[in-house]
Amino acid sequence: MGGQRRVAIACQGGGSHTAFTAGVLSRWLRNGEPDGVRVVGFSGTSGGAVCATLAWRAVVGGDVADAPRRLRGYWESTAADTPLELVTNAGLVWTSVLQNLGLLPLISPYDVAVPAQETLPGAAGALGRARQDRP
């Protein structure tokens, strides 16, 4: 183990990037950790975090070669395959296309005022002052 390179893997997320990440991890880990490599951690964002979690579970479980099965099983179980799921997916894709073309308005949760939003900075400041005043 002393001569092994310690590697932490960052997994990219977001649509097709997540599919690529799952494929690369599956291919890379299908026969266990590659020679001379010791995987010491995974991280990721969005779908990449899901891939990282599934792969890490296989590593800490002592069966690195099980990562491809875990990845494939999860993503197959979340794929749109019923008629309703396929229609919903197509509708969401077309909504995004129409928004990008300016034919539908962009709606963001960040555009909606949240009543507590204005009070949180004040509360955080008061908490900081209270900590400073402690003996």
Side-chain angles (χ1 to χ4, degrees):
M1 190 179 296
Q4 290 184 317
R5 175 177 279 172
R6 294 168 41 97
V7 175
I9 300 171
C11 301
Q12 186 173 8
S16 60
H17 298 294
T18 300
F20 180 79
T21 296
V24 169
L25 286 175
S26 292
R27 176 72 182 215
W28 197 60
L29 298 172
R30 70 181 174 185
N31 295 318
E33 292 173 306
D35 291 338
V37 173
R38 171 86 176 128
V39 178
V40 295
F42 288 88
S43 67
T45 57
S46 190
V50 173
C51 291
T53 302
L54 293 166
W56 184 243
R57 179 64 186 102
V59 170
V60 298
D63 190 5
V64 177
D66 190 44
R69 182 194 64 77
R70 291 175 179 276
L71 288 160
R72 183 178 47 256
Y74 176 80
W75 292 112
E76 285 178 355
S77 73
T78 60
D81 50 22
T82 67
L84 178 60
E85 291 169 341
L86 293 168
V87 167
T88 302
N89 190 56
L92 291 170
V93 168
W94 274 105
T95 298
S96 177
V97 168
L98 295 174
Q99 286 175 329
N100 289 334
L101 292 172
L103 300 173
L104 282 179
L106 290 172
I107 301 170
S108 170
Y110 299 108
D111 296 334
V112 178
V114 178
Q117 199 170 18
E118 291 77 32
T119 60
L120 288 176
L127 179 61
R129 287 188 299 279
R131 285 184 175 168
Q132 291 174 348
D133 293 341
R134 283 193 330 207

